[in-house]
Amino acid sequence: MNHRILFGSYPIPRFAGIVSHNFVVWTDDTGRPLYEINGGAAHADGSFNYCALRGPLTAVVTDYAKRDLVYCPEFYVRPTSRTIVLMEGNVSSIAARWRTAVDVAERIRLSKLRYSFLVQNSNSVATAIAEGMGLKPPSAAVGRVKAPGSHRHLVLDAA
């Protein structure tokens, strides 16, 4: 197996699993996660707000070699998470796309956009990350009910 970029979806139990949190993950040739990007809101101290209703919109890059759940969430390893392969290739081709994803995540963090549960949220971040890499988010993981905000195109300054 090659390295992969996956589009993940985690059904949120609080909403009976109907609404999902989308994210993007890079796995190695054994399927082990190396990095993950999640969108959401940040607390004032910069930690990830798992139960956000408002706050600054952020995109967090999790390095699985340096785990810190307060600042860097991990959804790929949750048993109910589902993933779809966006791209498969050798490590250098995946790393090149991932560098682009990290750049988009930085632009989102610096954008001063506000988190909104139904409009600008983890799902719009995941869509922006995938599209920023030149990949199309899977139709099975997006939708106005299933993944509110997934159709929202974030307005970001050029890099």
Side-chain angles (χ1 to χ4, degrees):
M1 180 183 347
N2 288 315
H3 283 239
R4 293 178 169 178
I5 294 176
L6 309 171
F7 194 92
S9 187
Y10 169 72
I12 302 171
R14 166 176 307 173
F15 299 105
I18 295 167
V19 177
S20 293
H21 163 82
N22 290 338
F23 58 94
V24 181
V25 64
W26 171 3
T27 62
D28 68 10
D29 56 357
T30 67
R32 184 175 52 102
L34 300 176
Y35 301 97
E36 183 175 319
I37 299 176
N38 285 282
H43 289 292
D45 68 357
S47 61
F48 192 80
N49 187 344
Y50 287 92
C51 299
L53 293 177
R54 66 180 76 109
L57 184 66
T58 192
V60 178
V61 181
T62 299
D63 179 343
Y64 272 80
K66 301 172 187 163
R67 298 178 122 157
D68 180 354
L69 297 177
V70 172
Y71 291 93
C72 301
E74 301 172 359
F75 285 91
Y76 177 73
V77 295
R78 295 180 184 208
T80 56
S81 289
R82 298 179 299 270
T83 59
I84 296 172
V85 176
L86 292 180
M87 180 182 175
E88 186 171 351
N90 62 42
V91 67
S92 61
S93 66
I94 297 299
R97 293 282 179 120
W98 197 258
R99 276 190 296 278
T100 303
V102 170
D103 290 344
V104 173
E106 179 67 12
R107 288 173 49 210
I108 291 168
R109 276 194 303 279
L110 297 173
S111 70
K112 296 191 180 4
L113 293 172
R114 301 296 296 170
Y115 178 90
S116 167
F117 178 74
L118 295 174
V119 182
Q120 294 180 152
N121 54 36
S122 63
N123 302 322
S124 49
V125 168
T127 296
I129 297 294
E131 291 175 348
M133 289 187 287
L135 304 171
K136 183 177 174 61
S139 60
V142 298
R144 285 177 170 66
V145 173
K146 183 187 307 181
S150 60
H151 289 66
R152 169 81 175 184
H153 292 282
L154 300 178
V155 177
L156 303 172
D157 291 333

